[in-house]
């Protein structure tokens, strides 16, 4: 697990919590598996650029906001 993956996961989790969303909400909006979202949030899985864009859209932010 690298620093970027960990930071990305923390940002997704923080933004999701701020918006009052669950992992299930993200899954329904993106069509992704909840286990996949969980692994991305915990920094164990790197999403593809396409999936990163889908997650960002579901959260209502830009992909670069997830990587800050």
């Amino acid at each position: 697990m690298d620093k970027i993956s960990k930071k990305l996961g923390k940002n997704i989790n923080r933004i999701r919590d701020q918006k009052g969303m669950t992992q299930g909400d993200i899954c329904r909006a993106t069509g992704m598996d909840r286990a996949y979202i969980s692994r991305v949030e915990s920094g164990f899985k790197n999403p593809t650029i396409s999936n990163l864009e889908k997650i960002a859209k579901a959260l209502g932010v830009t992909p670069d906001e997830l990587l800050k």
Side-chain angles (χ1 to χ4, degrees):
M1 168 173 20
D2 59 47
K3 281 173 74 172
I4 293 172
S5 299
K6 195 87 172 146
K7 188 170 201 164
L8 171 65
K10 281 185 178 177
N11 286 340
I12 292 171
N13 184 272
R14 176 180 49 77
I15 293 166
R16 182 175 60 74
D17 283 347
Q18 286 172 348
K19 296 187 178 263
M21 296 174 76
T22 65
Q23 286 181 345
D25 293 331
I26 304 264
C27 297
R28 284 184 287 281
T30 62
M32 295 176 206
D33 188 69
R34 202 184 75 73
Y36 175 81
I37 297 294
S38 176
R39 290 182 60 74
V40 169
E41 279 194 9
S42 59
F44 289 108
K45 186 87 177 147
N46 283 323
T48 63
I49 292 172
S50 172
N51 283 348
L52 183 65
E53 288 176 336
K54 289 176 187 173
I55 293 168
K57 186 176 179 187
L59 291 170
V61 297
T62 60
D64 66 303
E65 280 186 71
L66 299 179
L67 296 167
K68 287 182 181 173

